Amino acid sequence: MSFGLIIIGDEILSGKRRDQHLPKVIELLRERGLRLAWAEIVGDEPERITALLRRTFASSDTVFSCGGIGATPDDHTRQCAAAALGVPLELHPQGRALIEERIRETAGPDADLHAPENLQRFRMAEFPAGASLIPNPYNRIPGFTVARHHFVPGFPVMAWPMIGWVLDTLYADRFHREAHAEKSLLVYEAAEAALTPLMETLEARYPGVRVFSLPSVGDAHTRRHIELGVKGDPGEVEAAWTDMCVELEKMGAEMQPLRQPLRAVDSHSN
């Protein structure tokens, strides 16, 4: 099972808003010994959202979706999730009760629940049939879970604690189960093509390791360099790291190890 992220909203694709969800979700997962496998951004187009969800529902991935679960004309996520699953939207009784609590909290105990604006608010509790709720600690208007997909608002102040709750409530048994380590260094004034044979040799020699290179062209303050590193199984990472350094020294490469410890998450049996 892999974790994926869907970010929904024209405002992201137009540049009106800068996405903050991707780095935060990576952080939330990393804190729990988990990793993000993929992420996609899609605008407020029902056909595209439905097609994307139909594809991800058909996978075995666990997916977080941020945005578009309100009740304004540009919010389509709830409807698209139902369409992708081939089920109707249904008013969730507990979701409606939570929204009613919020209405009475903000408008007073005698608020007219049949007022047009409040009827519109109740639509935010219409979820695909069979959905369960994700509590929202900010304003109590819930998100929802269906078919290993967890749908939360686009507002970070709401979305991030809701995602944290999902992870801690539903996936705690997966925390820190996969051992992982990473080490890297800077190689100055080198061409990636010259380092590629070494990278291929290391990956062939150590099946549990992936080698990565992050080139930088440099600027007025930074020399041209490549961050070259290994990540994966901690035991193999240490051996691959040693081999990599030895081979780079043989090549006469100018290197600078980054000031980072070997980062590893110990697996355990919980």
Side-chain angles (χ1 to χ4, degrees), residues 6-228:
I6 297 173
I7 300 162
I8 297 174
D10 285 347
E11 67 276 9
I12 302 298
L13 295 176
S14 69
K16 289 184 178 180
R17 294 280 178 89
R18 185 185 299 273
D19 171 62
Q20 302 177 63
H21 294 303
L22 178 57
K24 185 61 179 183
V25 170
I26 292 172
E27 176 186 326
L28 290 170
L29 290 169
R30 182 185 293 131
E31 289 172 350
R32 294 161 173 84
L34 304 170
R35 286 179 288 165
L36 187 67
W38 57 266
E40 294 194 34
I41 299 174
V42 63
D44 296 313
E45 299 180 43
E47 296 80 7
R48 290 185 183 275
I49 298 171
T50 301
L52 173 56
L53 289 174
R54 189 173 290 124
R55 171 163 54 85
T56 59
F57 280 135
S59 75
S60 61
D61 291 345
T62 294
V63 179
F64 291 100
S65 174
C66 301
I69 65 170
T72 56
D74 60 344
D75 290 318
H76 306 291
T77 305
R78 294 175 296 106
Q79 300 90 325
C80 292
L85 289 169
V87 301
L89 283 176
E90 294 181 350
L91 182 63
H92 195 290
Q94 186 182 356
R96 185 196 182 282
L98 288 168
I99 294 175
E100 179 177 336
E101 287 181 15
R102 178 63 177 173
I103 292 171
R104 295 190 186 281
E105 179 181 81
T106 56
D110 298 324
D112 180 5
L113 299 179
H114 297 286
E117 64 271 19
N118 288 330
L119 293 177
Q120 184 71 11
R121 292 186 177 105
F122 285 133
R123 293 184 62 188
M124 289 189 290
E126 293 178 350
F127 302 135
S132 57
L133 300 185
I134 301 173
N136 181 341
Y138 185 81
N139 63 8
R140 290 208 290 274
I141 298 176
F144 66 98
T145 288
V146 63
R148 304 178 311 280
H149 284 51
H150 309 286
F151 296 87
V152 299
F155 296 104
V157 70
M158 303 179 193
W160 298 349
M162 293 170 78
I163 292 172
W165 180 89
V166 169
L167 289 170
D168 293 339
T169 303
L170 301 181
Y171 301 103
D173 62 326
R174 298 188 59 83
F175 292 179
H176 305 294
R177 289 178 60 183
E178 181 182 356
H180 181 78
E182 178 178 319
K183 294 186 76 171
S184 61
L185 49 71
L186 302 184
V187 183
Y188 291 104
E189 308 297 337
E192 276 192 297
L195 299 176
T196 299
L198 171 58
M199 297 169 66
E200 292 174 341
T201 297
L202 291 172
E203 289 202 342
R205 185 178 299 163
Y206 301 101
V209 166
R210 292 175 61 186
V211 185
F212 63 90
S213 65
L214 301 172
S216 172
V217 297
D219 54 33
H221 307 286
T222 306
R223 292 175 63 190
R224 184 169 69 94
H225 66 269
I226 295 171
E227 181 182 351
L228 186 66

Side-chain angles (χ1 to χ4, degrees), residues 184-188 241 245 255-260:
S184 61
L185 49 71
L186 302 184
V187 183
Y188 291 104
W241 168 260
C245 292
M255 302 174 290
Q256 177 187 334
L258 295 178
R259 293 183 178 179
Q260 56 183 12

